[in-house]
Amino acid sequence: MHNIARAFIDHPEIPIFLALAGGYFFGRFQYKGLGLGAVTATLLCGVILGAVFQTGGDSIHIDGVVKQVFFLLFLFALGYKLGPQFFSGLKGDGLPQAVFTVILIVVGLATVIVLAKVLDYDPGLAAGLASGALTQSAIIGVAQTSIADLNIGADTMRQWQDLVSVGYAVTYIFGTIGAAIYCGSIAPRLLGIRDLPASAKDLEKKLGFREEVADVLPAYDQIVRRSYRIVRGLPERHGEGMTVTEIEDFLRQETGGRVSIAQVRHDGKIVPAAADLRVFPGDDVAVSGRREWVIGGPITDLCEEVDDPDLLSYPLEELDVVLTKHSVDGMTIGQASADPDFRGVYLKRIMRAGHEIPIASEVKLRQGDEVRLVGERHLIENTVALVGYPERTTPETDMVTVGLGVAVGALIGLPTLMVENIPLSLTTSVGALLMGLLIGWRRSKSPTFGRIPPGAQWFFEGVGLTAFIAIVGITSGPGFIKGLQNYGVSLFLAGVVVTMVPLVLMTFMARYVFKFDPVLTLGMLTGAQTTTAAVGSVREAAKSSVPLLGFTVPYAIGNIFLSIGGAVVVAFMA
């Protein structure tokens, strides 16, 4: 053991990677959708490594610059991802949800400060309480940076910084499990929901949401293509010719969905299906649309299916597109599907702030949304020009923007304002977060710079945070057990109060003050408190993903303001 400890002390990079490996391994285990997650598991693995592998009075030391580099990358990537949704949430119908989120955060942080004052906690323990009970890991780094800027001795600074991770580890478990149980089981009753699955189904019908497309047919492609032979004309004029537009309009009226004709075989020749092209009995048509609209049903009133491979051999494209145009911001999916400019183009997925949201006719599209479109290649290219910017597969990251963004953001956070001998500043951490927000938002408007592909974004955000947490755990390990012994019980109970007070209070405000839809309120609660684990609990209880429509705006706002909350708590407690 002595030799291993010596090796870890001399080469601290080894325990960092061991903590990452252990964190990602143990973090993936779940029970009924609940688990530690990679961040908390990495912290615990780091604490164990730091506490166990000491020898001769020496412990594992890791330069603070390494920790800060990872944390700044994480914060910049977080801001970059949430930027479009953050600014979108500050206007229009997202504004009430943004105000709701800010109030919840103010209540949560105020509860932390009051309890910390009553229990005589130092700034580090108070910040750890906020981080764990409100399930916002970013508070750890922001608080530790703020503590480092205080005019205190080195030993006190180290003690307070170590206690941040103690507070997080003790309170995070209930912060996650308690919020999940509350949002999935208790909040629906307080909101007046007697039957949550039934209420969710009612909202689905109101929004035109088709849950069965995504869930019942997961083994099939949602958008299918078939070749049919026209055997009859329209019902009111059998045997006569009809235009492509007339056929598509008839099928829309009969099915309630969009069916498009791509090509027509007439007199043995294949021609593109122009809107005014006349089609006659005996002609073959290549039809595309969602499975339930194209296979069987009203289409058989006009056609019979035939096998025509050549007719179906036209170029298709499936492409992720970032919405940047003002013309589509606020447009509902139903309005877009009825727009002739988007004929033959189908929506398969919407990603907003890193989360997939349900597709429903009344769901509004927002600038910054990443949508997956499928259709004929030339139609997709035409649509892209009208709505935004294509996210074509490429491994390259614009490191010029990333490097300058983090550096400039950190510089912005450096200036300090003295208030009653207490230094107040944005800190380099919050500066990097705000610069990420700005660049992410700007890229959604003009996506010609700042590309960070999904893999790189996952690394910056995911590994940036867990590597930072691993170092926090390793360096705080020697003092972790003592801190846990001194504060464990009172800290856990304080965490219960901090988790529950804002959730319960905002449940009643959502019902009686904001008057939000009760099903969507469940998504707002989980988003505002950034409790992603509770999303699964709500979805399972509702037997629907429709509550997620209330999740994305509060989640974007909550991540930003809670992260800054670490500095606020330290400032009030210093």
Side-chain angles (χ1 to χ4, degrees), residues 20-197:
L20 284 173
Y24 278 97
F25 177 77
F26 292 110
R28 64 189 181 187
F29 293 105
Q30 295 185 343
Y31 177 72
K32 293 187 176 180
L34 298 175
L36 289 176
V39 174
T40 306
T42 299
L43 175 65
L44 295 178
C45 288
V47 165
I48 292 171
L49 289 169
V52 171
F53 293 103
Q54 306 178 65
T55 183
D58 292 336
S59 59
I60 301 172
H61 173 74
I62 303 170
D63 196 305
V65 172
V66 179
K67 178 178 70 172
Q68 194 67 2
V69 166
F70 280 114
F71 191 59
L72 291 181
L73 275 176
F74 155 69
L75 286 176
F76 179 83
L78 178 67
Y80 177 92
K81 180 181 75 174
L82 297 177
Q85 193 60 31
F86 177 82
F87 287 103
S88 176
L90 298 179
K91 61 183 182 179
D93 54 8
L95 185 58
Q97 294 185 20
V99 173
F100 172 86
T101 303
V102 172
I103 295 175
L104 183 146
I105 292 169
V106 170
V107 171
L109 294 178
T111 305
V112 168
I113 293 169
V114 169
L115 282 176
K117 293 282 189 182
V118 170
L119 297 172
D120 197 27
Y121 287 167
D122 59 62
L125 202 59
L129 170 63
S131 180
L134 299 176
T135 63
Q136 181 51 251
S137 308
I139 291 178
I140 297 174
V142 174
Q144 289 188 336
T145 303
S146 298
I147 290 171
D149 291 338
L150 297 175
N151 187 22
I152 55 177
D155 291 340
T156 301
M157 181 186 72
R158 175 67 182 271
Q159 179 185 1
W160 287 0
Q161 287 181 331
D162 288 349
L163 286 174
V164 176
S165 59
V166 174
Y168 174 84
V170 171
T171 58
Y172 180 82
I173 303 300
F174 183 84
T176 299
I177 297 176
I181 293 173
Y182 174 82
C183 291
S185 303
I186 301 173
R189 298 180 184 181
L190 298 181
L191 290 167
I193 302 175
R194 296 183 178 181
D195 187 336
L196 180 56

Side-chain angles (χ1 to χ4, degrees), residues 221-547:
D221 192 358
Q222 298 175 19
I223 309 302
V224 298
R225 287 150 288 281
R226 291 289 190 273
S227 54
Y228 282 95
R229 177 162 298 153
I230 303 293
V231 294
R232 291 173 291 276
L234 294 173
E236 67 275 13
R237 54 186 200 205
H238 287 303
E240 297 182 12
M242 49 197 160
T243 66
V244 167
T245 297
E246 288 175 332
I247 299 175
E248 292 177 346
D249 288 345
F250 168 76
L251 293 175
R252 177 191 288 272
Q253 294 170 4
E254 295 297 315
T255 65
R258 298 170 64 226
V259 177
S260 300
I261 298 175
Q263 297 191 122
V264 176
R265 183 188 292 278
H266 180 71
D267 291 336
K269 296 180 179 179
I270 297 177
V271 296
D276 58 352
L277 178 68
R278 297 192 71 81
V279 181
F280 297 88
D283 290 347
D284 292 350
V285 294
V287 178
S288 64
R290 289 191 178 272
R291 182 173 297 272
E292 66 270 30
W293 304 333
V294 170
I295 299 178
I299 198 169
T300 58
D301 293 338
L302 304 178
C303 319
E304 60 181 21
E305 189 167 8
V306 295
D307 184 22
D308 195 335
D310 291 337
L311 188 63
L312 293 174
S313 298
Y314 55 88
L316 288 174
E317 186 169 23
E318 186 170 307
L319 184 64
D320 290 332
V321 179
V322 178
L323 303 184
T324 63
K325 303 294 187 181
H326 288 288
S327 57
V328 294
D329 189 35
M331 179 184 289
T332 67
I333 294 175
Q335 290 171 335
S337 67
D339 192 322
D341 287 335
F342 306 137
R343 172 182 171 268
V345 176
Y346 297 91
L347 179 64
K348 294 189 70 173
R349 190 183 74 177
I350 305 175
M351 296 294 293
R352 182 174 294 167
H355 295 270
E356 184 171 355
I357 65 172
I359 295 176
S361 60
E362 295 302 315
V363 171
K364 292 184 177 180
L365 300 170
R366 294 298 181 192
Q367 285 180 305
D369 285 353
E370 184 177 295
V371 298
R372 179 164 295 171
L373 305 177
V374 61
E376 294 177 73
R377 187 169 186 178
H378 73 280
L379 295 178
I380 292 290
E381 298 302 322
N382 292 341
T383 298
V384 169
L386 295 173
V387 302
Y389 188 83
E391 284 285 358
R392 302 190 188 279
T393 303
T394 173
E396 295 182 0
T397 296
D398 183 357
M399 285 305 300
V400 173
T401 299
V402 173
L404 286 176
V406 174
V408 172
L411 286 171
I412 291 173
L414 287 179
T416 301
L417 176 67
M418 297 299 295
V419 178
E420 296 184 358
N421 295 323
I422 298 175
L424 299 178
S425 71
L426 285 176
T427 73
T428 57
S429 304
V430 175
L433 174 66
L434 296 178
M435 186 56 65
L437 272 177
L438 183 62
I439 291 176
W441 168 76
R442 188 58 200 161
R443 175 170 163 78
S444 73
K445 302 288 185 180
S446 178
T448 56
F449 75 103
R451 172 174 168 75
I452 305 179
Q457 187 163 324
W458 176 87
F459 181 85
F460 291 158
E461 186 181 347
V463 179
L465 177 59
T466 50
F468 163 78
I469 290 294
I471 297 171
V472 169
I474 292 167
T475 54
S476 65
F480 186 90
I481 303 301
K482 182 178 179 181
L484 191 61
Q485 291 172 340
N486 291 338
Y487 300 104
V489 175
S490 70
L491 188 58
F492 177 82
L493 294 177
V496 172
V497 175
V498 172
T499 298
M500 297 307 300
V501 166
L503 286 175
V504 174
L505 177 62
M506 296 311 295
T507 298
F508 287 108
M509 287 198 69
R511 182 176 182 180
Y512 296 110
V513 178
F514 289 92
K515 300 186 184 302
F516 290 138
D517 180 275
V519 176
L520 296 182
T521 296
L522 300 176
M524 294 178 202
L525 289 171
T526 61
Q529 202 148 316
T530 65
T531 311
T532 53
V535 173
S537 177
V538 169
R539 181 185 287 160
E540 182 178 347
K543 295 181 172 56
S544 168
S545 56
V546 75

Side-chain angles (χ1 to χ4, degrees), residues 558-570:
N559 267 283
I560 304 307
F561 281 93
L562 276 176
S563 297
I564 298 172
V568 174
V569 171
V570 171

